[in-house]
Amino acid sequence: MFEDRPDCDEVVLVGRSNVGKSTLMRELTGHSVSTGRKPGVTRQPNHFDWTSESFMFTDLPGFGFMSGVSEEQREQIKTDVVRYVEDNADDILVGVLVVDGKSVVDIIDRHSGDDEIPHDVELFHFLRDLEIPTVVAVNKMDKVDDRDDRLDDLCDRLGLYPPWKQWQDTIAPISAKRGNISALTDTLGDHFHDQKRDDLLKFL
């Protein structure tokens, strides 16, 4: 179980381990967050909050493969993440699903089967089913050569009709390590505005 959270609106970062959520969190907040080469560094939600505005960014633990973590523990972390999002859906202004732009389509294809829904696809639809505004931050795009094709393929796997450019309120290509996250912050700003939280624009 996760520890108690501050009572305020939030933006949550969710996704597989090692896709760069903590690096993105650092770029969004300007504050150092534990990152590491080994997947699974984040085991509890990392909150960065502004009490005066009753708002925070939250980096949720990654799911999927983690070095030295049993399958049972991995499943528990995923369950805890899902429960956290369900329990706090009314306070989540935006859910940001962070994926690795270079590998996400291959991972989705590898885990697609008659009785298997890939984690990334499942989480995307889970957020939307809860009516949480959802943005897919497609990270590490500096390592992708066939940018438009790759983003079109991702849209296709998520059930969004390509081309990806018609989904710029949902698909945000970024490179957190290089500090290039404007596609995401622009989209977050639009969502804040839609929810009458223009007071939060100064944090982007």
Side-chain angles (χ1 to χ4, degrees), residues 5 7-11 48-57 90-94 133 185-204:
R5 68 185 277 282
D7 183 21
C8 62
D9 287 341
E10 68 182 313
V11 170
F48 191 86
D49 66 301
W50 290 268
T51 307
S52 56
E53 272 81 10
S54 189
F55 170 70
M56 65 185 173
F57 283 106
D90 290 346
D91 294 325
I92 297 175
L93 298 175
V94 187
T185 53
D186 288 350
T187 304
L188 288 177
D190 291 341
H191 285 299
F192 290 167
H193 179 71
D194 290 345
Q195 296 178 68
K196 299 181 170 51
R197 289 301 309 261
D198 284 353
D199 59 307
L200 302 180
L201 296 177
K202 61 179 175 284
F203 298 131
L204 300 176

Side-chain angles (χ1 to χ4, degrees), residues 113-185:
D114 294 337
D115 58 351
E116 187 177 19
I117 301 173
H119 288 327
D120 301 285
V121 175
E122 185 180 26
L123 204 49
F124 176 71
H125 290 291
F126 169 68
L127 289 166
R128 285 162 65 105
D129 287 347
L130 289 173
E131 299 184 352
I132 295 171
T134 305
V135 179
V136 183
V138 192
N139 196 19
K140 308 184 185 181
M141 287 304 291
D142 53 305
K143 299 179 180 177
V144 176
D145 298 326
D146 50 346
R147 177 188 173 92
D148 287 339
D149 289 343
R150 184 60 51 155
L151 292 170
D152 285 348
D153 287 346
L154 175 58
C155 282
D156 180 60
R157 303 306 190 273
L158 294 174
L160 306 173
Y161 291 110
W164 76 271
K165 288 187 176 175
Q166 67 181 330
W167 298 103
Q168 291 190 49
D169 60 339
T170 305
I171 303 292
I174 63 170
S175 176
K177 207 167 193 177
R178 291 176 177 246
N180 180 5
I181 63 168
S182 58
L184 174 61
T185 53

Side-chain angles (χ1 to χ4, degrees), residues 58-127:
T58 300
D59 173 20
L60 288 171
F63 52 80
F65 173 76
M66 291 175 225
S67 178
V69 179
S70 70
E71 186 172 343
E72 185 181 352
Q73 278 181 289
R74 292 201 301 267
E75 282 303 310
Q76 185 59 54
I77 289 171
K78 189 182 169 202
T79 299
D80 288 344
V81 167
V82 166
R83 190 172 292 139
Y84 180 97
V85 173
E86 282 181 328
D87 289 349
N88 300 300
D90 290 346
D91 294 325
I92 297 175
L93 298 175
V94 187
V96 180
L97 172 61
V98 186
V99 301
D100 183 329
K102 195 170 182 185
S103 63
V104 63
V105 172
D106 300 326
I107 290 171
I108 288 173
D109 288 351
R110 195 159 61 238
H111 292 279
S112 295
D114 294 337
D115 58 351
E116 187 177 19
I117 301 173
H119 288 327
D120 301 285
V121 175
E122 185 180 26
L123 204 49
F124 176 71
H125 290 291
F126 169 68
L127 289 166

